[in-house]
């Protein structure tokens, strides 16, 4: 949460920082600010609200310079106010800091600094950082920062500039992400890759305990003791135009429509000579084949993909598997068996709960495989093995294309293991592979029904509550459909296993309640139809996601959205798409900020 940017180079800092912050706005959007050094003096512009509000502040009161830092905030400590917006400064107004994370010992540090005469103007934990730097400054900014980091507890990525040393920018990473971008005659810091792409593709993903001293032309990396460290430079494969809306009104809609393309790309890279080769590394194959249980831990949408993964792994590869919220997994005191593989699924690769689950598993000696989108992210780097889902940058806070890409990877993984273990024959594998190759076209045919789904949204957008039901492998689809709707439209939505409805939630059904039932033709189809009857008998307004050609459901549903037929194991890949579109259009009709829903952030880097 929170996005930070830093720049030193030849360009005007206001546009570099503001554009960079726009690319990171998905990380938080309670307030935003910028600091720059011009002719030896530090200037700050900050205010509560979005980056657009900061633009108008800067338009009215320009800020200049070739070195600067910026911040977009997701509030933790302190209300959403102008004073609590970053950057924060020291008493002299010469040191400015932008911070992402939580300084856990800030109260004692603040007391200590106050007793030494420092004056605080915000309620944030972050403000202790510039004051500590001020306190320790004896003519060398790097030394003051090194002393400061050794006083801090908690999670922190921060960038510092000082009018006393206007040709230096220092970035620190500890338990919150920070990337160094190495350009031609310019250096940048950012919380995430999209902010750097229009300047450079050469990056260093910093590691915990890294302190980087950057000038316009050079950088040096130190540890907290001031010893030099070296890090490899990576060239990212994402392009700058991947983070544009490309004519769509929202990133979310663009990303929904990108799903077939992501499938085509992944199928081409992971299926070779008719076989899934996701574990092509022989060691990884050997290691995974020796595991007797897969324990998937993830958060939010990624957990829903993981839940579907358990059905795939059990059915295709006959592997015992379970999925759990990362935030619960950690505190359950899990019993670890050395033959358990812990699987972390995360779009961002930075989710604090999921990362903590990875660390817990590793500290207990277990192997960890991560399924991640963002290259070089912390979860990817800390796991023993990583499979990338190659969905490209996902900017909309509501995850869509990453979810279906995660499902594809889980399906490929399950097929490969099932085939290698002998549970899937050659001809069955060929059928599965052919069907996977047919999915992008089937996804396109659902996207072509957007006008019908928009019409359904117009009918139901003013409802106060929704229920989503699904059974078997589509039970998590119901959870995901409900999550999509509630997070972007603020309508209360409950997702439930259709067979469980009679144990409680059926009490909610009346003639005002829209009930979305995911009922493709699968092994639990007839059971789902019985559940639809139960809703119908109580007057609920039924919207059904059904398989093409299923005339039977017309009798029960007020609205039917047809999806193409596919193998049961792949149905969740198709059945979620109408629910993503439904949530999107309902949110638009309710005038909600689709890409930046209230109270949320894309990367949840606090526990
Ligand atoms: C999805 O729409 C959500 N905004 C959220 O639940 C998300 O899936 C969750 O925070 C996990 O994120 P990750 O995949 O980056 O770990």
């Amino acid at each position: 949460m929170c996005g930070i940017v830093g720049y030193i180079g030849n360009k005007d800092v206001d546009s570099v920082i503001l554009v960079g912050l726009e690319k990171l706005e998905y990380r938080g959007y309670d307030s935003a600010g910028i600091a720059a050094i011009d002719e030896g003096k530090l200037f700050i512009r900050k205010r509560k609200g979005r980056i657009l509000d900061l633009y108008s502040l800067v338009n009215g009161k320009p800020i200049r310079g070739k070195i600067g830092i910026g911040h977009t905030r997701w509030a933790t400590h302190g209300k959403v106010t102008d004073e609590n917006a970053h950057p924060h400064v020291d008493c002299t107004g010469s040191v400015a800091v932008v911070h992402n994370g939580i300084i856990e010992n800030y109260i004692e540090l603040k007391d200590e600094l106050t007793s030494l005469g420092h004056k605080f103007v915000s309620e944030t934990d972050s403000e202790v950082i510039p004051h500590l730097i001020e306190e320790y400054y004896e003519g060398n900014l790097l030394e003051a920062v090194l002393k400061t980091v050794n006083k801090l507890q908690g999670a922190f990525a921060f960038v510092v500039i000082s009018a006393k040393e206007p040709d230096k920018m220092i970035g620190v990473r500890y338990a919150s992400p920070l990337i160094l971008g190495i350009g031609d005659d310019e250096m940048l810091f950012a919380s995430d890759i999209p902010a750097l792409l229009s300047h450079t593709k050469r990056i260093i993903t910093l590691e915990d305990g890294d302190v980087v001293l950057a000038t316009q032309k050079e950088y040096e990396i130190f540890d907290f003791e001031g010893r030099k460290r070296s890090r490899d430079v990576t060239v990212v494969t994402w392009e700058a135009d991947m983070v544009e809306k490309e004519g769509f009104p929202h990133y979310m809609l663009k990303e929904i429509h990108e799903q077939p393309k992501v499938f085509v790309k992944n199928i081409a890279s992971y299926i070779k000579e008719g076989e899934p080769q996701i574990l092509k590394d022989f060691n990884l194959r050997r290691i995974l084949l020796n595991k007797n249980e897969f324990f998937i831990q993830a958060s939010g949408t990624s957990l829903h993909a993981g839940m579907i993964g358990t059905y795939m792994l059990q059915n295709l590869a006959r592997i015992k598997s379970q999925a759990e919220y990362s935030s619960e997994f950690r505190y359950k005191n899990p019993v670890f068996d050395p033959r358990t593989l812990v699987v972390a699924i995360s779009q961002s690769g930075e989710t604090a709960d999921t990362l903590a689950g990875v660390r817990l598993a590793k500290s207990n000696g277990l192997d960890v495989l991560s399924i991640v989108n963002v290259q070089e992210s912390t979860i990817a780097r800390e796991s023993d093995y990583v499979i990338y889902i190659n969905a490209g940058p996902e900017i909309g806070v509501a995850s869509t294309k990453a979810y279906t890409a995660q499902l594809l990877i889980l399906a490929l993984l399950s097929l490969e293991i099932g085939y290698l273990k002998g549970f899937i024959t050659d001809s069955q594998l060929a059928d599965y592979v052919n069907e996977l190759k047919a999915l992008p076209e089937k996804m396109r045919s659902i996207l072509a029904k957007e006008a019908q789904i928009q019409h359904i949204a117009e009918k139901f957008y003013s409802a106060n509550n929704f229920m989503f039901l699904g059974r078997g492998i589509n039970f998590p689809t119901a959870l995901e459909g409900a999550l999509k709707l509630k997070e972007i439209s603020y309508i209360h939505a409950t997702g439930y296993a259709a067979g469980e409805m009679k144990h409680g939630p059926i009490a909610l059904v009346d003639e005002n309640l829209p009930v979305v039932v995911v009922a493709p033709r699968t092994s639990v189809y007839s059971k789902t139809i019985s559940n639809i009857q139960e809703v119908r008998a109580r007057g609920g307004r039924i919207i059904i996601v059904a398989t093409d050609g299923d005339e039977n459901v017309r009798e029960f549903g007020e609205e039917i959205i047809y999806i193409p037929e596919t193998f049961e194991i792949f149905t969740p890949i198709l059945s979620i798409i109408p629910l993503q579109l439904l949530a999107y259009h309902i949110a638009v009709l309710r005038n909600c900020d689709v890409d930046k829903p209230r109270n949320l952030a894309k990367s949840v880097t606090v526990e």
Side-chain angles (χ1 to χ4, degrees):
M1 345 264 311
C2 298
I4 58 181
V5 189
Y7 177 81
I8 180 166
N10 290 320
K11 296 174 186 153
D12 290 329
V13 81
D14 52 346
S15 60
V16 177
I17 300 280
L18 286 164
V19 172
L21 288 179
E22 273 183 68
K23 303 282 183 258
L24 296 181
E25 204 176 11
Y26 63 83
R27 300 179 65 89
Y29 28 85
D30 291 328
S31 61
I34 176 170
I37 300 171
D38 188 28
E39 296 185 351
K41 283 206 182 112
L42 182 75
F43 296 90
I44 309 267
R45 305 283 182 268
K46 60 182 191 173
R47 64 162 37 163
K48 70 176 186 180
R50 302 283 169 102
I51 310 294
L52 266 183
D53 301 301
L54 182 62
Y55 265 107
S56 47
L57 180 68
V58 170
N59 279 343
K61 229 175 148 197
I63 185 162
R64 303 191 197 291
K66 308 288 182 194
I67 173 170
I69 53 178
H71 189 271
T72 181
R73 181 173 186 237
W74 187 84
T76 56
H77 292 59
K79 292 184 286 294
V80 178
T81 61
D82 291 350
E83 292 72 33
N84 290 336
H86 296 223
H88 291 291
V89 294
D90 67 333
C91 299
T92 67
S94 52
V95 177
V97 170
V98 285
H99 165 229
N100 170 28
I102 294 176
I103 307 299
E104 285 166 6
N105 59 337
Y106 83 100
I107 295 179
E108 64 192 73
L109 291 173
K110 197 168 175 178
D111 288 348
E112 206 177 306
L113 288 158
T114 307
S115 69
L116 292 167
H118 290 263
K119 299 265 178 288
F120 285 80
V121 295
S122 80
E123 303 158 318
T124 66
D125 53 329
S126 312
E127 199 186 351
V128 296
I129 303 173
H131 287 280
L132 281 170
I133 294 170
E134 176 191 7
E135 188 59 34
Y136 292 130
Y137 188 74
E138 288 173 349
N140 185 320
L141 186 61
L142 177 64
E143 279 174 16
V145 170
L146 288 172
K147 284 185 182 153
T148 297
V149 293
N150 282 292
K151 292 286 277 185
L152 303 175
Q153 287 167 13
F156 45 91
F158 65 85
V159 184
V160 189
I161 53 173
S162 168
K164 292 184 180 148
E165 299 188 30
D167 54 350
K168 290 179 189 157
M169 176 170 67
I170 296 178
V172 175
R173 177 200 158 122
Y174 189 81
S176 287
L178 190 65
I179 296 164
L180 172 69
I182 304 154
D184 294 332
D185 270 357
E186 58 187 2
M187 298 285 164
L188 300 102
F189 286 107
S191 304
D192 205 350
I193 297 168
L196 303 174
L197 284 177
S198 49
H199 306 282
T200 183
K201 286 185 172 185
R202 298 180 66 227
I203 64 156
I204 293 177
T205 306
L206 299 172
E207 295 189 14
D208 283 351
D210 284 351
V211 178
V212 184
L213 173 65
T215 60
Q216 187 181 333
K217 292 186 186 297
E218 290 173 334
Y219 65 88
E220 285 179 291
I221 306 179
F222 302 90
D223 66 12
F224 282 8
E225 305 308 318
R227 292 177 293 239
K228 283 207 182 170
R229 279 179 161 181
S230 78
R231 296 272 173 250
D232 292 338
V233 176
T234 308
V235 179
V236 289
T237 53
W238 290 358
E239 300 294 335
D241 61 5
M242 284 175 154
V243 292
E244 302 303 330
K245 286 190 199 143
E246 291 171 5
F248 285 93
H250 297 98
Y251 283 111
M252 183 184 176
L253 190 61
K254 176 197 161 207
E255 288 158 5
I256 290 172
H257 281 268
E258 275 175 343
Q259 294 177 103
K261 199 168 76 187
V262 173
F263 264 58
V264 170
K265 191 171 156 198
N266 272 321
I267 287 169
S269 55
Y270 288 133
I271 298 183
K272 304 270 184 226
E273 293 156 18
E275 273 180 42
Q277 300 217 352
I278 207 158
L279 309 173
K280 57 181 179 291
D281 169 350
F282 175 72
N283 273 335
L284 186 52
R285 276 191 171 175
R286 192 170 49 78
I287 286 160
L288 296 203
L289 289 176
N290 278 328
K291 298 292 175 192
N292 59 5
E293 183 178 5
F294 280 30
F295 198 122
I296 299 173
Q297 56 102 13
S299 309
T301 290
S302 296
L303 191 260
H304 297 153
M307 290 169 80
I308 291 172
T310 64
Y311 289 83
M312 292 172 168
L313 285 161
Q314 281 174 188
N315 283 286
L316 298 172
R318 303 304 295 149
I319 291 183
K320 197 167 127 200
S321 51
Q322 52 180 317
E324 179 65 279
Y325 293 109
S326 301
S327 53
E328 291 297 320
F329 167 69
R330 299 176 53 197
Y331 298 106
K332 268 191 157 170
N333 196 12
V335 177
F336 289 120
D337 168 342
R339 290 186 63 198
T340 300
L341 177 79
V342 172
V343 181
I345 306 181
S346 175
Q347 186 286 128
S348 62
E350 301 293 347
T351 300
D353 290 320
T354 311
L355 177 59
V358 168
R359 289 177 175 162
L360 176 71
K362 290 202 71 179
S363 66
N364 280 276
L366 296 194
D367 285 330
V368 176
L369 167 71
S370 64
I371 298 176
V372 172
N373 191 30
V374 178
Q375 294 168 30
E376 292 294 309
S377 52
T378 311
I379 290 174
R381 283 183 297 115
E382 292 202 12
S383 302
D384 299 292
Y385 313 101
V386 56
I387 300 173
Y388 285 110
I389 64 167
N390 302 319
E394 190 179 66
I395 309 291
V397 165
S399 185
T400 52
K401 63 174 179 173
Y403 174 70
T404 47
Q406 289 163 347
L407 293 180
L408 173 62
I409 297 302
L410 287 161
L412 289 167
L413 189 66
S414 309
L415 284 170
E416 188 168 344
I417 298 173
Y419 179 63
L420 293 171
K421 282 188 155 187
F423 294 119
I424 296 172
T425 64
D426 285 340
S427 82
Q428 285 169 331
L429 186 71
D431 290 345
Y432 281 121
V433 166
N434 284 339
E435 183 56 22
L436 280 172
K437 289 183 175 167
L439 286 179
E441 207 38 56
K442 294 186 177 184
M443 295 166 114
R444 282 190 198 101
S445 75
I446 302 171
L447 294 168
K449 297 190 169 152
E450 189 168 353
Q452 184 211 347
I453 295 167
Q454 190 171 6
H455 166 74
I456 299 172
E458 279 160 13
K459 241 170 120 176
F460 291 98
Y461 78 95
S462 53
N464 293 323
N465 297 289
F466 262 75
M467 187 185 283
F468 288 75
L469 300 175
R471 279 189 93 124
I473 197 165
N474 279 293
F475 157 49
T477 308
L479 297 179
E480 176 60 8
L483 176 61
K484 283 291 87 81
L485 185 68
K486 66 188 143 198
E487 72 178 327
I488 60 168
S489 74
Y490 318 143
I491 294 175
H492 174 257
T494 184
Y496 234 81
E500 272 296 296
M501 182 188 53
K502 57 186 176 290
H503 297 291
I506 199 163
L508 296 167
V509 178
D510 63 17
E511 58 289 348
N512 297 316
L513 184 75
V515 181
V516 180
V517 190
V518 186
R521 279 205 187 276
T522 63
S523 53
V524 290
Y525 171 75
S526 55
K527 299 282 174 208
T528 314
I529 294 296
S530 307
N531 302 134
I532 291 176
Q533 301 274 29
E534 290 156 11
V535 176
R536 191 174 173 229
R538 284 152 186 91
R541 300 185 66 185
I542 302 170
I543 302 158
I544 303 177
V545 176
T547 304
D548 274 341
D550 181 355
E551 292 302 318
N552 185 30
V553 289
R554 286 197 188 277
E555 186 190 338
F556 315 122
E558 181 174 336
E559 296 290 343
I560 317 287
I561 308 169
Y562 284 110
I563 59 171
E565 186 164 11
T566 186
F567 293 174
E568 174 160 357
I569 212 80
F570 301 145
T571 51
I573 292 169
L574 299 183
S575 59
I576 192 60
I577 297 175
L579 307 190
Q580 294 170 340
L581 285 170
L582 185 66
Y584 171 79
H585 284 289
I586 289 178
V588 169
L589 287 161
R590 291 169 72 98
N591 285 322
C592 294
D593 192 343
V594 172
D595 284 333
K596 299 184 195 86
R598 70 185 179 204
N599 306 338
L600 289 173
K602 183 78 179 160
S603 297
V604 185
T605 53
V606 293
E607 291 173 34

